[in-house]
Amino acid sequence: MSQPIRVTIWNEFRHEQTNEKVRAIYPEGIHRAIGEGIQGDYEIGYATLDEPEHGLTEEKLGRTDVLIWWGHKAHKEVNEEIVERVHKRVLEGMGLIVLHSGHFSKIFKKLMGTTCNLKWREADEKERLWVVSPGHPIVEGIGEYIELEQEEMYGEHFEIPQPDELVFVSWFEGGEVFRSGCTYHRGQGKIFYFRPGHETYPTYYNEQVRHVIRNAVEWAAPTGREKPVYGNYKPLEPIKAKQHS
Amino acid sequence: MSQPIRVTIWNEFRHEQTNEKVRAIYPEGIHRAIGEGIQGDYEIGYATLDEPEHGLTEEKLGRTDVLIWWGHKAHKEVNEEIVERVHKRVLEGMGLIVLHSGHFSKIFKKLMGTTCNLKWREADEKERLWVVSPGHPIVEGIGEYIELEQEEMYGEHFEIPQPDELVFVSWFEGGEVFRSGCTYHRGQGKIFYFRPGHETYPTYYNEQVRHVIRNAVEWAAPTGREKPVYGNYKPLEPIKAKQHS
Amino acid sequence: MSQPIRVTIWNEFRHEQTNEKVRAIYPEGIHRAIGEGIQGDYEIGYATLDEPEHGLTEEKLGRTDVLIWWGHKAHKEVNEEIVERVHKRVLEGMGLIVLHSGHFSKIFKKLMGTTCNLKWREADEKERLWVVSPGHPIVEGIGEYIELEQEEMYGEHFEIPQPDELVFVSWFEGGEVFRSGCTYHRGQGKIFYFRPGHETYPTYYNEQVRHVIRNAVEWAAPTGREKPVYGNYKPLEPIKAKQHS
Amino acid sequence: MSQPIRVTIWNEFRHEQTNEKVRAIYPEGIHRAIGEGIQGDYEIGYATLDEPEHGLTEEKLGRTDVLIWWGHKAHKEVNEEIVERVHKRVLEGMGLIVLHSGHFSKIFKKLMGTTCNLKWREADEKERLWVVSPGHPIVEGIGEYIELEQEEMYGEHFEIPQPDELVFVSWFEGGEVFRSGCTYHRGQGKIFYFRPGHETYPTYYNEQVRHVIRNAVEWAAPTGREKPVYGNYKPLEPIKAKQHS
């Protein structure tokens, strides 16, 4: 692909405006910190909940190769029409990277077909994400594990379809485990769920986390192909006439 | 499981009332032909679209271990609330067997997260379903393939998530192939999609097809377990106090 | 299946004869403790390394529906011919349950095609096996997790093919995770790898561990089918004569 | 990856020397036709059975990113030591593309852990390879299907592990189907099995087939990572002393 990958980073962008602790960490918003972390090779755009059409117009999505999604407390405010629009684009081939609390976003639940429920706890505890698929392009350049000194805990059972490829499994200090890096194919699109990134920790400044997101952008970029043909279809081979009973 | 498996067979039951050709084949409805084909070991009930709540009351679904679903031209008439109810029961562990044109049912599309689109053709052509997972319990007692002299064609690409296990692949006389037997796990529930069964052919009288449906009922029956715990969760291990930066 | 499932439990049976600590826990051998744990519904037999043909004669394997395998320090002493014999039987449909250090057995490595290498540590630490496939028959009757107060640690990366179904993920006190319950289909046979059971801990007396092994026996029992047909094969449909260029 | 991918194409190279029909199609050998088909972006080398060490010295394999394998009637002549060497390199991350009759090569059988048996027939019949994973990078630029006017038939059941991703399914004129494009991860290596390419047909001159092989080379190229750590491992977290019973 000679053209740079066009990435749109979507953020709910509410915590940063209402919670001082979060604003202190992400003064320009989580989306900007993520964008800063992957800049260089991509054409990066941003979109947030409170923009018209949540910043995700037909035109903007049409020019998006990979969409990154961070949302948390306002999932319900995301308009159904926009969810349908993103869903359609994923099936057409747009990559989708769903981060952390995005597990409960409408778009992720719609694509998974399940509740995407899990256990959780905010206790400033250690997370260690172990690589379990060492040859996967998403872990290129990543060591045996990524250690985050403080994160929110997410624990199993995580009610998702079995991932096509399980890339990371997290260990938590408090005694739980979690499938933290999961890939899916839906239609022509590729989806990566990546667990870390609670808003009260500086996770998106972590160089390893940023590296994984960059790798995921490369992996999720669309495969150039014509759309599959559906519907009524003429035979490619002759069909013998049969005697009806 | 010492109690017999409780099976509910749901049928749209419209073609049989409006199309003479279909009625000639299935005078009492497709659901009755399917039920006749699996009778003996199970407690079998029926439900159809035009009953109140489509015959799928909370109480009826609560007493259903495995739900079999046949629908075609009236998918849109299925009430969203009933779809939600069935969806919830699947995630709780109820087995679901989706037949033929049920690929476009609301419940299947919701569970898959994709359009479930495909190619199709009605041309009285031969279908041969090849077993590709020879050790799977769904093909117990089934030979190398099942041959159906006349069926509707369904062709790839079938827009579904990659199945957890691919059990059958169909060959069609007109030149297409299709992933005809697909298993999925969603929540605690097991799902089997089985392709054959267009309303104008006597497919549900075929002994091999019936045998597959019986096997699928056994396979999809719920696993006895408490519901997983979700939500806020106390640590199982002590968490060290950390210095906030 | 009206006949009881015929289970053969194979044990290396060396530690118990040379190490007092192990003998104190398993005076009659690990195999007998496992057999005691699953008795009731099955026809149970035993076989050990130092018997002629390691106790796995053609005749014995021919009457085995599910083989359970525990080995550790004498993997190299297992005769290649017996490995081939077991391999052949698995592909024919015999179930295989590989326990703990059996990950390094010749038969498991041959079936996996990889080194099956891992991290390990003997430090009397806590293991907690979390259920990640809540609808799988192998976890019927099992709670959210199984806790073992002291076990050997096995850590990722575990060099195995991605399991067909990942059933358990372990959390270890020392900071690691492990894919502890993994299913595979190979030929007509079903394989379950189950991690716990270091010889210096009384793990096979744990009621939950025994319950998982019982469930796995049921799950791995052969599916009754004719052997697939291989080799040269006559066309099922006419082939048009073509002009050679 | 700024360096060109280094591809080694291995060919048994016997049919071309003993069979006039094959020589007429591939006068310089199947390997050269494959190499011609993917040339441009890669550093391409060749190796054949009758060279010392089958052309696969430690040094040559050490400089190979992706190995392509074509063999047929002389699988047995491939030295075990070379098989081990290739196996080790795949687990270390070297990509492997196994073509057509390579399904019965020692290296493929060793990596799969099964017999890799199948049905076959030489009857100059039509094959149509349908894309079933439309977003996979291996089908970038490929249409709905690839049609080959004449090929050898391979039919199910194909005794392989369920592929990580099923990319192509073939339809054959004589009535069979086959899983024709299958991906696997083993260790850090990626493997692609691609069915077409019987020696008596000009399949490796087909532009679509060549395109798939090019895509597969890109997909199978190694992911840059340190080798995973195995063996005895110190705890990352403190382990509480426990009272032994």
Side-chain angles (χ1 to χ4, degrees), chain B residues 28 33 51 76 79 81 89 92 133 135 137 157-158 170 192 194:
Chain B
E28 295 178 84
E51 295 173 55
K76 285 191 183 154
N79 193 286
E81 197 185 324
R89 278 289 294 140
E92 284 170 7
S133 291
H157 176 243
F158 184 17
S170 282
F192 181 56
F194 189 43

Side-chain angles (χ1 to χ4, degrees), chain C residues 3-245:
Chain C
Q3 298 290 87
I5 298 171
R6 298 162 301 175
V7 181
T8 299
I9 305 176
W10 190 90
N11 182 16
E12 189 179 286
F13 198 31
R14 289 277 178 84
H15 292 281
E16 298 93 328
Q17 302 185 53
T18 59
N19 181 323
E20 258 182 66
K21 188 177 172 185
V22 178
R23 186 165 51 234
I25 302 170
Y26 296 114
E28 294 177 85
I30 282 173
H31 51 304
R32 295 281 169 179
I34 293 168
E36 183 195 285
I38 63 172
Q39 73 190 0
D41 300 318
Y42 314 123
E43 188 182 313
I44 299 175
Y46 299 95
T48 55
L49 180 64
D50 292 324
E51 295 173 54
E53 305 186 45
H54 311 320
L56 299 172
T57 60
E58 286 280 7
E59 196 268 339
K60 179 80 160 274
L61 279 176
R63 285 184 294 107
T64 297
D65 294 315
V66 179
L67 179 65
I68 298 179
W69 193 278
W70 196 100
H72 184 201
K73 64 178 185 179
H75 292 313
K76 286 189 183 156
E77 294 180 44
V78 177
N79 194 286
E80 295 296 340
E81 198 186 322
I82 307 301
V83 175
E84 290 298 326
R85 191 182 286 171
V86 174
H87 186 254
K88 184 165 167 290
R89 278 288 294 142
V90 171
L91 299 185
E92 283 170 9
M94 182 183 73
L96 179 67
I97 299 173
V98 175
L99 295 173
H100 189 64
S101 43
H103 76 92
F104 256 173
S105 62
K106 287 178 179 174
I107 182 60
F108 190 61
K109 291 196 290 185
K110 184 176 177 71
L111 282 160
M112 296 295 104
T114 57
T115 65
C116 304
N117 214 340
L118 47 73
K119 294 186 178 69
W120 61 272
R121 175 175 63 234
E122 296 182 44
D124 296 346
E125 73 196 274
K126 188 185 289 183
E127 174 178 16
R128 186 177 291 114
L129 297 102
W130 287 92
V131 172
V132 298
S133 291
H136 200 285
I138 285 180
V139 294
E140 179 139 22
I142 298 297
E144 284 206 282
Y145 56 79
I146 299 172
E147 198 170 294
L148 300 170
E149 204 50 38
Q150 295 187 31
E151 253 292 352
E152 183 181 5
M153 185 282 291
Y154 278 7
E156 294 285 343
H157 176 242
F158 183 19
E159 200 189 67
I160 46 169
Q162 174 159 304
D164 290 345
E165 299 152 312
L166 179 62
V167 181
F168 288 104
V169 172
S170 284
W171 176 97
F172 285 98
E173 193 177 352
E176 293 82 7
V177 297
F178 195 73
R179 289 170 290 171
S180 278
C182 300
T183 75
Y184 296 94
H185 294 76
R186 291 294 181 268
Q188 297 192 267
K190 301 183 196 76
I191 302 165
F192 181 56
Y193 174 77
F194 190 42
R195 201 213 74 84
H198 190 59
E199 67 272 8
T200 61
Y201 306 109
T203 298
Y204 295 118
Y205 296 105
N206 179 294
E207 201 38 62
Q208 295 258 294
V209 168
R210 289 173 158 197
H211 196 81
V212 168
I213 297 173
R214 275 196 299 274
N215 286 343
V217 164
E218 306 269 350
W219 171 82
T223 297
R225 278 189 85 229
E226 310 248 316
K227 210 175 134 68
V229 175
Y230 297 111
N232 192 253
Y233 196 73
K234 296 275 169 271
L236 299 162
E237 304 289 332
I239 293 168
K240 276 175 290 191
K242 296 184 185 72
Q243 302 294 77
H244 282 260
S245 55

Side-chain angles (χ1 to χ4, degrees), chain B residues 119 128 130-132 134 144 156-157 162-166 169-173 175-177 179 237 240, chain D residues 119 128 130 132 134 144 156-157 162-166 169-173 175-177 179 237 240:
Chain B
K119 293 186 179 70
R128 187 177 290 112
W130 286 92
V131 172
V132 298
E144 284 207 281
E156 295 283 345
H157 176 243
Q162 173 159 303
D164 290 346
E165 299 152 311
L166 179 61
V169 172
S170 282
W171 176 98
F172 285 97
E173 194 178 352
E176 293 82 7
V177 297
R179 289 171 290 170
E237 303 291 330
K240 276 175 290 188
Chain D
K119 293 186 179 71
R128 187 177 290 113
W130 287 93
V132 298
E144 284 206 281
E156 295 283 347
H157 176 244
Q162 173 159 303
D164 289 345
E165 299 152 312
L166 179 62
V169 171
S170 284
W171 176 97
F172 284 97
E173 193 178 350
E176 293 82 8
V177 298
R179 288 170 290 170
E237 304 291 332
K240 275 174 291 190

Side-chain angles (χ1 to χ4, degrees), chain D residues 75-179:
Chain D
H75 293 313
K76 285 191 183 155
E77 295 180 45
V78 177
N79 193 286
E80 295 294 340
E81 196 185 324
I82 307 302
V83 176
E84 291 297 325
R85 192 183 284 171
V86 173
H87 186 254
K88 184 166 168 288
R89 278 289 294 141
V90 170
L91 299 185
E92 283 170 8
M94 182 181 74
L96 178 68
I97 299 174
V98 175
L99 296 172
H100 189 64
S101 43
H103 76 91
F104 255 173
S105 62
K106 288 180 179 174
I107 182 61
F108 190 60
K109 291 196 290 185
K110 184 176 177 70
L111 281 160
M112 296 296 103
T114 56
T115 64
C116 304
N117 214 340
L118 46 73
K119 293 186 179 71
W120 60 272
R121 174 176 63 235
E122 297 183 43
D124 297 345
E125 74 197 272
K126 189 185 288 183
E127 174 178 15
R128 187 177 290 113
L129 297 101
W130 287 93
V131 172
V132 298
S133 291
H136 200 285
I138 285 179
V139 294
E140 180 138 23
I142 299 297
E144 284 206 281
Y145 56 80
I146 299 172
E147 197 170 294
L148 300 170
E149 205 48 40
Q150 294 188 30
E151 254 291 353
E152 184 181 5
M153 183 282 292
Y154 279 6
E156 295 283 347
H157 176 244
F158 185 17
E159 199 190 67
I160 46 169
Q162 173 159 303
D164 289 345
E165 299 152 312
L166 179 62
V167 181
F168 288 104
V169 171
S170 284
W171 176 97
F172 284 97
E173 193 178 350
E176 293 82 8
V177 298
F178 195 73
R179 288 170 290 170

